[in-house]
Protein backbone atom coordinates (compact mmCIF):
# COMPACT_ATOMS: atom_id res chain seq x y z
CA UNK A 1 0.00 0.00 0.00
CA UNK A 2 1.43 3.39 -0.96
CA UNK A 3 2.02 6.43 1.25
CA UNK A 4 -0.87 8.11 -0.58
CA UNK A 5 -3.18 5.27 0.48
CA UNK A 6 -1.88 5.37 4.05
CA UNK A 7 -2.34 9.14 4.36
CA UNK A 8 -5.87 9.05 2.98
CA UNK A 9 -6.80 6.19 5.30
CA UNK A 10 -5.36 7.97 8.34
CA UNK A 11 -7.37 11.09 7.55
CA UNK A 12 -10.58 9.13 7.04
CA UNK A 13 -10.03 7.20 10.26
CA UNK A 14 -9.61 10.41 12.20
CA UNK A 15 -12.97 11.60 10.90
CA UNK A 16 -14.61 8.32 11.91
CA UNK A 17 -12.96 8.06 15.32
CA UNK A 18 -15.79 9.76 17.18
CA UNK A 19 -18.17 6.90 16.45
CA UNK A 20 -15.69 4.03 16.42
CA UNK A 21 -15.61 1.33 19.09
CA UNK A 22 -12.72 -0.80 20.27
CA UNK A 23 -14.26 -3.89 18.76
CA UNK A 24 -14.82 -2.53 15.26
CA UNK A 25 -12.26 0.12 14.45
CA UNK A 26 -8.94 -0.67 12.78
CA UNK A 27 -6.40 1.65 14.33
CA UNK A 28 -2.79 2.28 13.45
CA UNK A 29 -0.52 1.83 16.48
CA UNK A 30 3.20 1.66 17.12
CA UNK A 31 4.71 -1.42 18.76
CA UNK A 32 8.34 -2.06 19.60
CA UNK A 33 9.39 -3.05 16.12
CA UNK A 34 6.64 -2.25 13.64
CA UNK A 35 3.50 -0.32 12.81
CA UNK A 36 0.36 -2.39 13.30
CA UNK A 37 -3.33 -2.41 12.60
CA UNK A 38 -5.81 -3.88 15.07
CA UNK A 39 -8.27 -5.99 13.08
CA UNK A 40 -11.44 -7.49 14.55
CA UNK A 41 -12.50 -10.99 13.52
CA UNK A 42 -15.73 -12.97 13.33
CA UNK A 43 -14.71 -14.75 16.56
CA UNK A 44 -14.95 -11.50 18.52
CA UNK A 45 -11.18 -11.12 18.97
CA UNK A 46 -8.91 -8.26 17.91
CA UNK A 47 -5.43 -8.90 16.49
CA UNK A 48 -2.51 -6.55 16.04
CA UNK A 49 -1.00 -7.30 12.64
CA UNK A 50 1.55 -5.54 10.38
CA UNK A 51 0.15 -2.50 8.58
CA UNK A 52 1.18 -4.00 5.26
CA UNK A 53 -0.55 -5.99 2.53
CA UNK A 54 2.69 -7.96 2.18
CA UNK A 55 1.82 -9.73 5.43
CA UNK A 56 -0.23 -12.87 4.84
CA UNK A 57 -1.96 -12.54 8.21
CA UNK A 58 -2.98 -8.95 7.56
CA UNK A 59 -4.24 -9.73 4.08
CA UNK A 60 -6.25 -12.78 5.10
CA UNK A 61 -7.90 -11.07 8.09
CA UNK A 62 -8.94 -8.19 5.83
CA UNK A 63 -10.14 -10.59 3.15
CA UNK A 64 -11.97 -13.20 5.23
CA UNK A 65 -12.14 -11.69 8.74
CA UNK A 66 -10.99 -15.02 10.14
CA UNK A 67 -8.05 -17.33 9.50
CA UNK A 68 -8.51 -19.44 6.38
CA UNK A 69 -7.69 -22.81 7.95
CA UNK A 70 -10.91 -24.80 8.54
CA UNK A 71 -9.51 -26.18 11.80
CA UNK A 72 -10.30 -22.84 13.44
CA UNK A 73 -13.92 -24.00 13.58
CA UNK A 74 -12.75 -27.17 15.34
CA UNK A 75 -11.39 -25.39 18.40
CA UNK A 76 -14.74 -24.41 19.98
CA UNK A 77 -15.86 -28.03 19.56
CA UNK A 78 -12.77 -29.73 21.01
CA UNK A 79 -11.56 -27.31 23.67
CA UNK A 80 -13.81 -27.47 26.69
CA UNK A 81 -13.62 -24.97 29.57
CA UNK A 82 -10.72 -25.54 31.92
CA UNK A 83 -8.47 -27.42 29.48
CA UNK A 84 -4.87 -26.33 29.00
CA UNK A 85 -3.12 -26.03 25.63
CA UNK A 86 0.15 -25.25 23.86
CA UNK A 87 0.60 -23.18 20.70
CA UNK A 88 4.03 -24.04 19.28
CA UNK A 89 4.87 -21.51 16.60
CA UNK A 90 2.24 -18.98 17.64
CA UNK A 91 3.11 -16.19 15.15
CA UNK A 92 0.47 -13.45 15.64
CA UNK A 93 -1.56 -15.68 17.95
CA UNK A 94 -4.66 -16.44 15.90
CA UNK A 95 -4.76 -19.95 17.32
CA UNK A 96 -3.47 -19.07 20.79
CA UNK A 97 -6.12 -16.44 21.47
CA UNK A 98 -8.92 -18.55 20.06
CA UNK A 99 -7.76 -21.46 22.20
CA UNK A 100 -7.81 -19.22 25.28
CA UNK A 101 -11.29 -17.97 24.38
CA UNK A 102 -12.58 -21.52 24.08
CA UNK A 103 -10.97 -22.94 27.21
CA UNK A 104 -12.19 -19.98 29.31
CA UNK A 105 -10.56 -20.84 32.63
CA UNK A 106 -7.80 -22.90 31.00
CA UNK A 107 -4.30 -21.65 30.21
CA UNK A 108 -2.43 -21.42 26.90
CA UNK A 109 1.35 -21.31 26.53
CA UNK A 110 2.24 -19.64 23.20
CA UNK A 111 5.79 -20.15 21.97
CA UNK A 112 6.97 -17.56 19.42
CA UNK A 113 10.71 -17.15 18.84
CA UNK A 114 10.81 -14.09 16.52
CA UNK A 115 10.42 -10.54 17.79
CA UNK A 116 7.99 -8.80 15.41
CA UNK A 117 5.05 -11.24 15.57
CA UNK A 118 5.67 -11.82 19.28
CA UNK A 119 5.40 -8.08 19.96
CA UNK A 120 2.09 -7.97 18.09
CA UNK A 121 0.90 -11.07 19.94
CA UNK A 122 1.63 -9.50 23.32
CA UNK A 123 -0.45 -6.44 22.39
CA UNK A 124 -3.29 -8.66 21.22
CA UNK A 125 -3.22 -10.68 24.45
CA UNK A 126 -3.55 -7.51 26.51
CA UNK A 127 -6.19 -5.85 24.31
CA UNK A 128 -8.39 -8.95 24.47
CA UNK A 129 -8.08 -9.15 28.27
CA UNK A 130 -6.33 -12.52 28.17
CA UNK A 131 -3.15 -11.61 30.04
CA UNK A 132 -3.95 -14.00 32.89
CA UNK A 133 -4.72 -16.93 30.56
CA UNK A 134 -2.05 -16.71 27.86
CA UNK A 135 1.68 -16.94 28.57
CA UNK A 136 3.79 -15.78 25.62
CA UNK A 137 7.16 -17.53 25.67
CA UNK A 138 9.98 -15.74 23.82
CA UNK A 139 11.55 -18.89 22.42
CA UNK A 140 11.23 -21.62 19.87
CA UNK A 141 11.13 -25.29 20.75
CA UNK A 142 13.79 -27.77 19.68
CA UNK A 143 15.62 -30.87 20.83
CA UNK A 144 17.61 -28.94 23.46
CA UNK A 145 18.17 -25.44 24.80
CA UNK A 146 20.36 -23.06 22.85
CA UNK A 147 20.22 -20.43 20.15
CA UNK A 148 19.55 -20.53 16.42
CA UNK A 149 19.55 -18.18 13.47
CA UNK A 150 16.06 -17.79 11.98
CA UNK A 151 15.27 -16.46 8.53
CA UNK A 152 12.65 -13.70 8.95
CA UNK A 153 10.53 -11.83 6.42
CA UNK A 154 7.44 -9.66 6.05
CA UNK A 155 5.54 -12.95 6.06
CA UNK A 156 6.28 -14.00 9.60
CA UNK A 157 4.24 -17.17 8.97
CA UNK A 158 7.32 -18.44 7.11
CA UNK A 159 9.96 -17.46 9.69
CA UNK A 160 12.01 -20.58 10.30
CA UNK A 161 15.25 -22.10 11.39
CA UNK A 162 15.74 -23.78 8.01
CA UNK A 163 14.68 -20.92 5.74
CA UNK A 164 16.94 -18.89 3.52
CA UNK A 165 17.12 -15.14 2.99
CA UNK A 166 19.26 -12.17 3.89
CA UNK A 167 17.32 -11.13 7.00
CA UNK A 168 18.28 -13.22 10.02
CA UNK A 169 17.43 -13.10 13.71
CA UNK A 170 19.07 -14.95 16.56
CA UNK A 171 16.41 -16.61 18.70
CA UNK A 172 16.32 -18.62 21.90
CA UNK A 173 15.53 -22.35 21.78
CA UNK A 174 14.12 -24.53 24.56
CA UNK A 175 13.24 -28.18 24.97
CA UNK A 176 9.55 -28.58 25.79
CA UNK A 177 10.27 -31.14 28.52
CA UNK A 178 12.56 -28.72 30.33
CA UNK A 179 10.15 -25.79 30.00
CA UNK A 180 7.17 -27.72 31.34
CA UNK A 181 9.20 -29.13 34.24
CA UNK A 182 10.15 -25.58 35.23
CA UNK A 183 6.91 -23.70 34.56
CA UNK A 184 3.98 -26.16 34.36
CA UNK A 185 4.94 -29.20 36.40
CA UNK A 186 2.00 -31.55 36.87
CA UNK A 187 -0.25 -29.62 34.44
CA UNK A 188 -2.22 -31.82 32.07
CA UNK A 189 -2.12 -30.49 28.50
CA UNK A 190 -5.16 -31.48 26.43
CA UNK A 191 -4.36 -29.85 23.09
CA UNK A 192 -1.27 -28.86 21.12
CA UNK A 193 -1.05 -26.84 17.92
CA UNK A 194 2.32 -27.53 16.28
CA UNK A 195 3.58 -25.35 13.42
CA UNK A 196 7.36 -25.18 13.46
CA UNK A 197 7.91 -24.63 9.71
CA UNK A 198 9.81 -27.85 9.16
CA UNK A 199 11.26 -28.12 12.68
CA UNK A 200 8.54 -30.38 14.08
CA UNK A 201 10.76 -33.46 14.48
CA UNK A 202 13.24 -31.41 16.53
CA UNK A 203 10.36 -30.23 18.73
CA UNK A 204 9.28 -33.83 19.34
CA UNK A 205 12.85 -34.82 20.15
CA UNK A 206 12.77 -32.34 23.02
CA UNK A 207 9.34 -33.49 24.22
CA UNK A 208 9.83 -37.22 24.78
CA UNK A 209 8.89 -37.20 28.47
CA UNK A 210 5.83 -35.09 27.71
CA UNK A 211 4.46 -37.51 25.11
CA UNK A 212 5.40 -40.53 27.23
CA UNK A 213 3.24 -39.24 30.09
CA UNK A 214 0.48 -37.29 28.33
CA UNK A 215 -1.75 -37.77 25.30
CA UNK A 216 -2.86 -34.39 23.98
CA UNK A 217 -4.75 -34.04 20.73
CA UNK A 218 -2.28 -32.48 18.29
CA UNK A 219 -3.04 -30.23 15.33
CA UNK A 220 0.00 -30.16 13.03
CA UNK A 221 1.00 -29.11 9.53
CA UNK A 222 0.61 -31.85 6.94
CA UNK A 223 3.08 -30.24 4.55
CA UNK A 224 6.43 -28.54 4.67
CA UNK A 225 6.32 -26.27 1.64
CA UNK A 226 4.55 -28.26 -1.07
CA UNK A 227 5.80 -31.66 0.13
CA UNK A 228 3.90 -33.91 2.51
CA UNK A 229 5.83 -34.29 5.74
CA UNK A 230 5.81 -38.09 5.70
CA UNK A 231 8.58 -38.37 8.31
CA UNK A 232 6.47 -36.44 10.82
CA UNK A 233 3.38 -38.55 10.10
CA UNK A 234 5.45 -41.70 10.60
CA UNK A 235 6.74 -40.32 13.90
CA UNK A 236 3.21 -39.70 15.16
CA UNK A 237 2.26 -43.25 14.22
CA UNK A 238 5.27 -44.60 16.15
CA UNK A 239 3.99 -42.62 19.15
CA UNK A 240 0.65 -44.40 18.84
CA UNK A 241 -1.38 -41.66 17.18
CA UNK A 242 -3.98 -42.05 14.45
CA UNK A 243 -4.40 -39.48 11.69
CA UNK A 244 -7.60 -37.48 11.23
CA UNK A 245 -8.81 -34.55 9.17
CA UNK A 246 -11.35 -31.96 10.26
CA UNK A 247 -14.50 -31.54 8.16
CA UNK A 248 -15.93 -28.10 8.89
CA UNK A 249 -19.12 -29.04 7.01
CA UNK A 250 -19.81 -32.08 9.18
CA UNK A 251 -18.14 -30.80 12.39
CA UNK A 252 -16.29 -34.10 12.56
CA UNK A 253 -12.80 -35.52 12.60
CA UNK A 254 -12.65 -38.06 9.77
CA UNK A 255 -10.01 -40.78 9.33
CA UNK A 256 -7.24 -39.68 6.97
CA UNK A 257 -5.27 -41.93 4.63
CA UNK A 258 -2.23 -40.03 3.39
CA UNK A 259 -1.78 -42.51 0.54
CA UNK A 260 -5.32 -42.28 -0.79
CA UNK A 261 -7.04 -39.09 0.36
CA UNK A 262 -6.93 -35.81 -1.51
CA UNK A 263 -4.17 -33.51 -0.25
CA UNK A 264 -4.32 -30.53 -2.65
CA UNK A 265 -5.88 -28.18 -0.10
CA UNK A 266 -5.05 -30.11 3.05
CA UNK A 267 -2.86 -27.99 5.32
CA UNK A 268 -3.24 -29.69 8.68
CA UNK A 269 -3.94 -33.06 10.21
CA UNK A 270 -5.05 -33.95 13.72
CA UNK A 271 -3.19 -36.67 15.61
CA UNK A 272 -5.26 -38.53 18.22
CA UNK A 273 -4.39 -41.55 20.37
CA UNK A 274 -7.02 -44.34 20.78
CA UNK A 275 -8.29 -43.34 24.27
CA UNK A 276 -8.89 -39.78 23.07
CA UNK A 277 -10.44 -41.12 19.86
CA UNK A 278 -13.00 -42.97 21.96
CA UNK A 279 -13.69 -39.88 24.07
CA UNK A 280 -14.18 -37.62 21.05
CA UNK A 281 -16.34 -40.24 19.33
CA UNK A 282 -18.53 -40.35 22.44
CA UNK A 283 -18.88 -36.55 22.20
CA UNK A 284 -19.94 -36.85 18.55
CA UNK A 285 -16.79 -35.24 17.16
CA UNK A 286 -14.81 -38.13 15.64
CA UNK A 287 -15.30 -41.20 13.49
CA UNK A 288 -12.83 -44.03 13.88
CA UNK A 289 -11.79 -46.13 10.83
CA UNK A 290 -13.31 -49.24 12.44
CA UNK A 291 -16.67 -47.52 12.95
CA UNK A 292 -16.69 -46.28 9.38
CA UNK A 293 -16.07 -49.76 8.02
CA UNK A 294 -18.74 -51.39 10.19
CA UNK A 295 -21.52 -48.82 10.04
CA UNK A 296 -24.72 -49.37 8.08
CA UNK A 297 -26.31 -46.14 6.78
CA UNK A 298 -29.56 -45.49 8.67
CA UNK A 299 -32.79 -44.74 6.87
CA UNK A 300 -32.96 -40.98 6.24
CA UNK A 301 -35.69 -39.16 8.10
CA UNK A 302 -38.22 -37.87 5.51
CA UNK A 303 -38.92 -34.85 7.70
CA UNK A 304 -35.39 -33.55 7.21
CA UNK A 305 -36.01 -32.93 3.50
CA UNK A 306 -38.88 -30.58 4.32
CA UNK A 307 -36.72 -28.88 6.97
CA UNK A 308 -33.92 -28.47 4.42
CA UNK A 309 -36.29 -26.89 1.91
CA UNK A 310 -37.44 -24.46 4.59
CA UNK A 311 -33.81 -23.43 5.10
CA UNK A 312 -33.38 -22.84 1.36
CA UNK A 313 -36.68 -20.96 1.19
CA UNK A 314 -38.18 -23.47 -1.22
CA UNK A 315 -41.58 -25.11 -0.92
CA UNK A 316 -41.78 -28.83 -1.65
CA UNK A 317 -45.37 -28.61 -2.83
CA UNK A 318 -44.36 -26.07 -5.50
CA UNK A 319 -41.56 -28.20 -6.87
CA UNK A 320 -42.38 -30.84 -9.43
CA UNK A 321 -42.33 -34.50 -8.53
CA UNK A 322 -39.36 -36.43 -9.93
CA UNK A 323 -40.00 -37.51 -13.50
CA UNK A 324 -36.77 -39.39 -14.14
CA UNK A 325 -34.49 -41.87 -12.45
CA UNK A 326 -31.90 -39.09 -12.06
CA UNK A 327 -34.45 -36.84 -10.32
CA UNK A 328 -35.38 -39.64 -7.93
CA UNK A 329 -31.72 -40.30 -7.14
CA UNK A 330 -31.14 -36.59 -6.52
CA UNK A 331 -34.03 -36.34 -4.05
CA UNK A 332 -32.96 -39.50 -2.24
CA UNK A 333 -29.39 -38.23 -2.05
CA UNK A 334 -30.52 -34.84 -0.74
CA UNK A 335 -32.70 -36.54 1.88
CA UNK A 336 -29.64 -38.48 3.03
CA UNK A 337 -27.50 -35.33 3.21
CA UNK A 338 -30.25 -33.39 4.99
CA UNK A 339 -30.52 -36.21 7.55
CA UNK A 340 -26.75 -36.20 8.06
CA UNK A 341 -26.90 -32.51 8.92
CA UNK A 342 -30.27 -32.20 10.64
CA UNK A 343 -31.42 -35.55 12.05
CA UNK A 344 -31.10 -35.74 15.83
CA UNK A 345 -29.57 -38.73 17.57
CA UNK A 346 -27.32 -40.08 14.83
CA UNK A 347 -23.88 -41.36 15.68
CA UNK A 348 -20.98 -39.64 13.85
CA UNK A 349 -20.30 -42.75 11.74
CA UNK A 350 -23.97 -42.85 10.70
CA UNK A 351 -23.82 -39.21 9.59
CA UNK A 352 -20.75 -39.86 7.46
CA UNK A 353 -22.31 -43.05 6.06
CA UNK A 354 -25.36 -41.06 4.94
CA UNK A 355 -23.17 -38.56 3.06
CA UNK A 356 -21.21 -41.38 1.43
CA UNK A 357 -24.47 -43.11 0.50
CA UNK A 358 -25.67 -39.88 -1.13
CA UNK A 359 -22.47 -39.75 -3.17
CA UNK A 360 -23.05 -43.34 -4.31
CA UNK A 361 -26.62 -42.49 -5.36
CA UNK A 362 -25.28 -39.74 -7.64
CA UNK A 363 -22.38 -41.78 -9.03
CA UNK A 364 -24.18 -42.96 -12.21
CA UNK A 365 -24.62 -39.31 -13.23
CA UNK A 366 -21.36 -37.91 -11.88
CA UNK A 367 -19.19 -38.38 -14.96
CA UNK A 368 -19.33 -35.56 -17.49
CA UNK A 369 -20.95 -32.46 -16.02
CA UNK A 370 -23.42 -32.45 -18.91
CA UNK A 371 -25.09 -35.54 -17.44
CA UNK A 372 -25.75 -33.82 -14.11
CA UNK A 373 -28.66 -31.49 -13.54
CA UNK A 374 -27.69 -28.29 -11.77
CA UNK A 375 -29.43 -29.36 -8.55
CA UNK A 376 -27.74 -32.79 -8.47
CA UNK A 377 -24.41 -31.30 -9.48
CA UNK A 378 -24.48 -28.67 -6.72
CA UNK A 379 -25.42 -31.37 -4.21
CA UNK A 380 -22.42 -33.43 -5.30
CA UNK A 381 -20.18 -30.37 -4.88
CA UNK A 382 -21.48 -30.09 -1.31
CA UNK A 383 -20.80 -33.78 -0.67
CA UNK A 384 -17.26 -33.68 -2.06
CA UNK A 385 -16.41 -30.59 -0.03
CA UNK A 386 -17.82 -32.13 3.16
CA UNK A 387 -15.72 -35.28 2.66
CA UNK A 388 -12.50 -33.29 2.24
CA UNK A 389 -12.25 -33.43 -1.55
CA UNK A 390 -12.04 -29.69 -2.19
CA UNK A 391 -10.10 -29.97 -5.44
CA UNK A 392 -12.74 -32.28 -6.92
CA UNK A 393 -15.52 -30.04 -5.57
CA UNK A 394 -14.05 -26.90 -7.17
CA UNK A 395 -13.48 -28.68 -10.47
CA UNK A 396 -17.06 -29.96 -10.61
CA UNK A 397 -18.49 -26.57 -9.64
CA UNK A 398 -16.55 -24.93 -12.49
CA UNK A 399 -17.92 -27.52 -14.92
CA UNK A 400 -21.47 -26.84 -13.76
CA UNK A 401 -21.04 -23.09 -14.27
CA UNK A 402 -19.89 -23.71 -17.83
CA UNK A 403 -22.76 -26.10 -18.51
CA UNK A 404 -25.72 -24.31 -16.93
CA UNK A 405 -26.68 -20.65 -17.54
CA UNK A 406 -27.34 -18.24 -14.70
CA UNK A 407 -31.08 -18.13 -15.41
CA UNK A 408 -31.60 -21.90 -15.09
CA UNK A 409 -35.00 -22.70 -13.57
CA UNK A 410 -34.75 -25.16 -10.71
CA UNK A 411 -37.39 -27.81 -10.19
CA UNK A 412 -35.76 -29.68 -7.31
CA UNK A 413 -34.50 -28.56 -3.90
CA UNK A 414 -31.01 -27.06 -3.85
CA UNK A 415 -27.89 -27.62 -1.75
CA UNK A 416 -25.21 -24.93 -1.74
CA UNK A 417 -21.55 -25.99 -1.59
CA UNK A 418 -21.20 -24.94 2.07
CA UNK A 419 -23.74 -25.35 4.85
CA UNK A 420 -23.46 -21.78 6.16
CA UNK A 421 -24.69 -20.49 2.79
CA UNK A 422 -28.17 -21.72 3.67
CA UNK A 423 -28.40 -18.56 5.80
CA UNK A 424 -27.29 -16.28 2.97
CA UNK A 425 -29.77 -13.62 1.81
CA UNK A 426 -31.45 -14.28 -1.51
CA UNK A 427 -33.27 -11.70 -3.61
CA UNK A 428 -33.26 -13.57 -6.93
CA UNK A 429 -34.63 -16.89 -8.18
CA UNK A 430 -33.19 -20.09 -6.65
CA UNK A 431 -31.40 -20.89 -9.92
CA UNK A 432 -29.76 -17.47 -10.19
CA UNK A 433 -28.82 -17.52 -6.50
CA UNK A 434 -27.30 -21.02 -6.75
CA UNK A 435 -25.33 -20.03 -9.85
CA UNK A 436 -23.85 -17.07 -7.96
CA UNK A 437 -23.03 -19.19 -4.91
CA UNK A 438 -21.26 -21.75 -7.12
CA UNK A 439 -19.37 -18.96 -8.86
CA UNK A 440 -18.16 -17.55 -5.54
CA UNK A 441 -17.23 -21.04 -4.35
CA UNK A 442 -15.00 -21.59 -7.38
CA UNK A 443 -13.45 -18.12 -7.14
CA UNK A 444 -12.73 -18.26 -3.41
CA UNK A 445 -11.90 -21.97 -2.97
CA UNK A 446 -9.62 -22.38 -5.99
CA UNK A 447 -6.91 -21.19 -3.63
CA UNK A 448 -6.76 -20.77 0.12
CA UNK A 449 -6.68 -16.97 -0.26
CA UNK A 450 -6.44 -14.54 -3.16
CA UNK A 451 -3.12 -13.59 -1.57
CA UNK A 452 -1.67 -16.65 -3.31
CA UNK A 453 -3.08 -15.81 -6.75
CA UNK A 454 -2.28 -13.00 -9.21
CA UNK A 455 -4.58 -10.00 -8.50
CA UNK A 456 -7.63 -10.12 -10.77
CA UNK A 457 -10.03 -7.22 -10.10
CA UNK A 458 -12.11 -8.12 -13.15
CA UNK A 459 -13.01 -11.51 -11.71
CA UNK A 460 -14.37 -10.00 -8.51
CA UNK A 461 -16.10 -7.18 -10.42
CA UNK A 462 -17.98 -9.77 -12.48
CA UNK A 463 -19.21 -11.56 -9.37
CA UNK A 464 -20.21 -8.23 -7.82
CA UNK A 465 -22.62 -7.70 -10.70
CA UNK A 466 -25.06 -10.16 -9.11
CA UNK A 467 -27.43 -8.63 -6.53
CA UNK A 468 -26.83 -11.56 -4.14
CA UNK A 469 -23.04 -11.26 -4.06
CA UNK A 470 -21.38 -11.53 -0.64
CA UNK A 471 -19.39 -8.96 1.31
CA UNK A 472 -16.30 -11.17 0.97
CA UNK A 473 -16.36 -10.64 -2.80
CA UNK A 474 -16.34 -6.89 -2.22
CA UNK A 475 -13.39 -7.22 0.14
CA UNK A 476 -11.45 -9.25 -2.41
CA UNK A 477 -12.31 -6.71 -5.10
CA UNK A 478 -10.91 -3.87 -3.01
CA UNK A 479 -7.79 -5.79 -1.98
CA UNK A 480 -7.01 -6.82 -5.57
CA UNK A 481 -6.81 -3.10 -6.46
CA UNK A 482 -4.89 -2.11 -3.34
CA UNK A 483 -2.08 -4.63 -3.80
CA UNK A 484 -1.55 -3.28 -7.33
CA UNK A 485 -1.99 0.33 -6.23
CA UNK A 486 -4.79 0.71 -8.78
CA UNK A 487 -7.60 3.22 -8.61
CA UNK A 488 -10.83 1.46 -7.75
CA UNK A 489 -14.43 2.19 -8.71
CA UNK A 490 -16.50 1.87 -5.55
CA UNK A 491 -20.01 2.61 -6.83
CA UNK A 492 -20.94 -1.08 -7.00
CA UNK A 493 -19.99 -1.79 -3.38
CA UNK A 494 -23.07 -2.39 -1.24
CA UNK A 495 -22.04 -4.26 1.88
CA UNK A 496 -18.48 -3.33 2.75
CA UNK A 497 -18.86 -0.62 5.42
CA UNK A 498 -22.08 -1.96 6.97
CA UNK A 499 -21.60 -3.32 10.52
CA UNK A 500 -23.78 -6.35 9.81
CA UNK A 501 -21.49 -7.34 6.92
CA UNK A 502 -18.04 -6.66 8.36
CA UNK A 503 -16.21 -6.77 11.66
CA UNK A 504 -14.22 -3.66 10.68
CA UNK A 505 -16.69 -1.08 9.33
CA UNK A 506 -14.53 1.92 10.23
CA UNK A 507 -11.57 0.53 8.33
CA UNK A 508 -13.57 -0.18 5.20
CA UNK A 509 -15.26 3.22 5.43
CA UNK A 510 -11.78 4.74 5.55
CA UNK A 511 -10.61 2.69 2.56
CA UNK A 512 -13.67 3.68 0.54
CA UNK A 513 -13.12 7.33 1.38
CA UNK A 514 -9.48 6.98 0.36
CA UNK A 515 -10.51 5.39 -2.95
CA UNK A 516 -12.95 8.21 -3.68
CA UNK A 517 -10.32 10.82 -2.78
CA UNK A 518 -7.79 9.24 -5.13
CA UNK A 519 -10.33 9.08 -7.95
CA UNK A 520 -11.31 12.75 -7.58
Amino acid sequence: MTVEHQTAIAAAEAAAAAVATVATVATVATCETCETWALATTRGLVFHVPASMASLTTYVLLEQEHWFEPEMSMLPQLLQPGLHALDIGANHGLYALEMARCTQTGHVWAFEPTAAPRSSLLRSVQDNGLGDRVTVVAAGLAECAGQASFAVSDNSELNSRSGGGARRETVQLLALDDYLDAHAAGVQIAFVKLDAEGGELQVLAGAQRFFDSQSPVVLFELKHGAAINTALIERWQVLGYGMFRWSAELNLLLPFDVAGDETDFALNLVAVRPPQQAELAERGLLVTPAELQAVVPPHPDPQTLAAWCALTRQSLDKLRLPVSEADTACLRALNAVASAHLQVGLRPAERVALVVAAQVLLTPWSGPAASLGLEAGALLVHILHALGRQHAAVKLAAQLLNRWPANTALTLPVAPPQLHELERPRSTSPGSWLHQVLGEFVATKSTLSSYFAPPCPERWAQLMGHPDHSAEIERRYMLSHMVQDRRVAVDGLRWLPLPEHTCNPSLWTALLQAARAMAA
Side-chain angles (χ1 to χ4, degrees):
M1 188 184 298
T2 64
V3 173
E4 185 178 13
H5 265 113
Q6 297 269 19
T7 303
I9 292 170
E13 284 182 334
V19 295
T21 66
V22 173
T24 59
V25 70
T27 60
V28 178
T30 301
C31 68
E32 295 177 6
T33 58
C34 61
E35 190 177 46
T36 65
W37 284 342
L39 298 181
T41 67
T42 55
R43 301 289 184 183
L45 297 167
V46 177
F47 292 92
H48 284 270
V49 293
S52 168
M53 294 300 169
S55 164
L56 173 61
T57 301
T58 302
Y59 189 98
V60 170
L61 291 189
L62 285 171
E63 175 190 64
Q64 303 181 33
E65 301 196 329
H66 57 80
W67 193 234
F68 57 66
E69 295 178 353
E71 291 78 18
M72 292 296 290
S73 69
M74 176 184 72
L75 300 184
Q77 309 291 330
L78 260 63
L79 297 182
Q80 296 177 308
L83 296 181
H84 305 301
L86 308 177
D87 186 351
I88 302 172
N91 195 37
H92 290 102
L94 274 72
Y95 272 96
L97 269 63
E98 176 64 9
M99 288 152 63
R101 187 185 72 84
C102 295
T103 60
Q104 299 178 19
T105 56
H107 201 86
V108 176
W109 287 264
F111 297 84
E112 176 48 50
T114 54
R118 187 173 66 245
S119 177
S120 297
L121 170 55
L122 286 165
R123 288 182 61 88
S124 299
V125 168
Q126 295 305 315
D127 284 1
N128 286 280
L130 296 172
D132 60 336
R133 288 161 43 201
V134 178
T135 297
V136 179
V137 184
L141 293 180
E143 60 274 32
C144 60
Q147 291 185 330
S149 176
F150 267 47
V152 296
S153 68
D154 291 338
N155 267 340
S156 58
E157 295 80 9
L158 304 179
N159 291 354
S160 72
R161 188 175 173 181
S162 59
R167 292 168 56 189
R168 311 291 300 186
E169 182 179 325
T170 300
V171 306
Q172 297 298 313
L173 297 178
L174 301 171
L176 180 60
D177 283 338
D178 295 340
Y179 180 85
L180 293 178
D181 287 346
H183 300 281
V187 174
Q188 290 295 308
I189 305 297
F191 185 82
V192 174
K193 177 227 133 187
L194 175 58
D195 180 3
E197 291 299 328
E200 288 82 3
L201 289 174
Q202 291 94 322
V203 173
L204 292 182
Q208 295 184 44
R209 295 195 303 275
F210 172 63
F211 283 104
D212 283 345
S213 62
Q214 300 197 38
S215 296
V217 175
V218 183
L219 172 67
F220 69 97
E221 276 198 319
L222 168 64
K223 299 175 182 176
H224 178 49
I228 295 175
N229 197 339
T230 53
L232 179 59
I233 293 173
E234 290 169 358
R235 181 59 184 155
W236 286 123
Q237 291 170 336
V238 168
L239 289 171
Y241 279 85
M243 298 298 105
F244 294 84
R245 183 180 188 176
W246 177 250
S247 168
E249 293 302 309
L250 294 171
N251 279 321
L252 284 175
L253 285 164
L254 305 180
F256 184 82
D257 175 12
V258 70
D261 286 343
E262 186 181 292
T263 60
D264 301 71
F265 291 92
L267 294 177
N268 304 305
L269 292 182
V270 182
V272 191
R273 279 177 169 155
Q276 287 68 40
Q277 292 177 27
E279 176 190 340
L280 292 175
E282 182 67 24
R283 290 170 53 193
L285 296 172
L286 182 145
V287 180
T288 66
E291 287 177 317
L292 209 52
Q293 288 182 344
V295 69
V296 176
H299 292 294
D301 181 356
Q303 297 300 317
T304 61
L305 185 58
W308 185 277
C309 288
L311 291 173
T312 61
R313 297 171 297 284
Q314 291 177 287
S315 175
L316 271 177
D317 58 0
K318 294 183 180 178
L319 297 170
R320 68 176 169 86
L321 294 175
V323 296
S324 68
E325 189 177 357
D327 284 351
T328 300
C330 181
L331 277 178
R332 289 177 60 199
L334 181 58
N335 195 11
V337 169
S339 291
H341 287 304
L342 304 177
Q343 189 170 331
V344 177
L346 293 180
R347 293 183 291 112
E350 291 176 322
R351 295 178 56 218
V352 177
L354 282 168
V355 176
V356 173
Q359 182 181 8
V360 171
L361 282 167
L362 297 176
T363 296
W365 295 276
S366 62
S371 64
L372 280 173
L374 182 57
E375 300 98 325
L379 175 58
L380 187 54
V381 170
H382 177 93
I383 291 169
L384 292 171
H385 184 56
L387 295 177
R389 298 185 59 197
Q390 186 171 325
H391 179 76
V394 169
K395 182 179 178 181
L396 176 58
Q399 292 173 338
L400 292 169
L401 291 171
N402 290 332
R403 172 69 177 88
W404 296 97
N407 59 354
T408 300
L410 300 186
T411 55
L412 295 171
V414 302
Q418 300 173 95
L419 193 63
H420 71 83
E421 288 160 341
L422 292 172
E423 302 174 0
R424 237 174 104 159
R426 191 186 80 204
S427 64
T428 58
S429 68
S432 177
W433 178 85
L434 182 60
H435 202 274
Q436 174 69 13
V437 170
L438 286 169
E440 292 192 16
F441 179 78
V442 171
T444 60
K445 298 300 182 183
S446 296
T447 183
L448 298 165
S449 165
S450 59
Y451 180 92
F452 300 111
C456 187
E458 295 75 20
R459 184 181 201 183
W460 310 117
Q462 183 179 14
L463 287 167
M464 282 191 346
H466 194 279
D468 291 331
H469 71 262
S470 67
E472 184 170 332
I473 298 302
E474 295 189 2
R475 294 197 293 269
R476 291 178 184 244
Y477 171 78
M478 284 286 290
L479 291 171
S480 66
H481 284 82
M482 292 165 63
V483 296
Q484 294 181 304
D485 196 30
R486 290 175 54 174
R487 295 177 185 270
V488 52
V490 298
D491 292 342
L493 301 175
R494 301 171 57 192
W495 312 125
L496 217 44
L498 301 180
E500 62 268 33
H501 289 281
T502 177
C503 302
N504 298 286
S506 295
L507 172 64
W508 288 111
T509 295
L511 290 173
L512 291 172
Q513 291 177 357
R516 292 188 180 98
M518 293 178 68

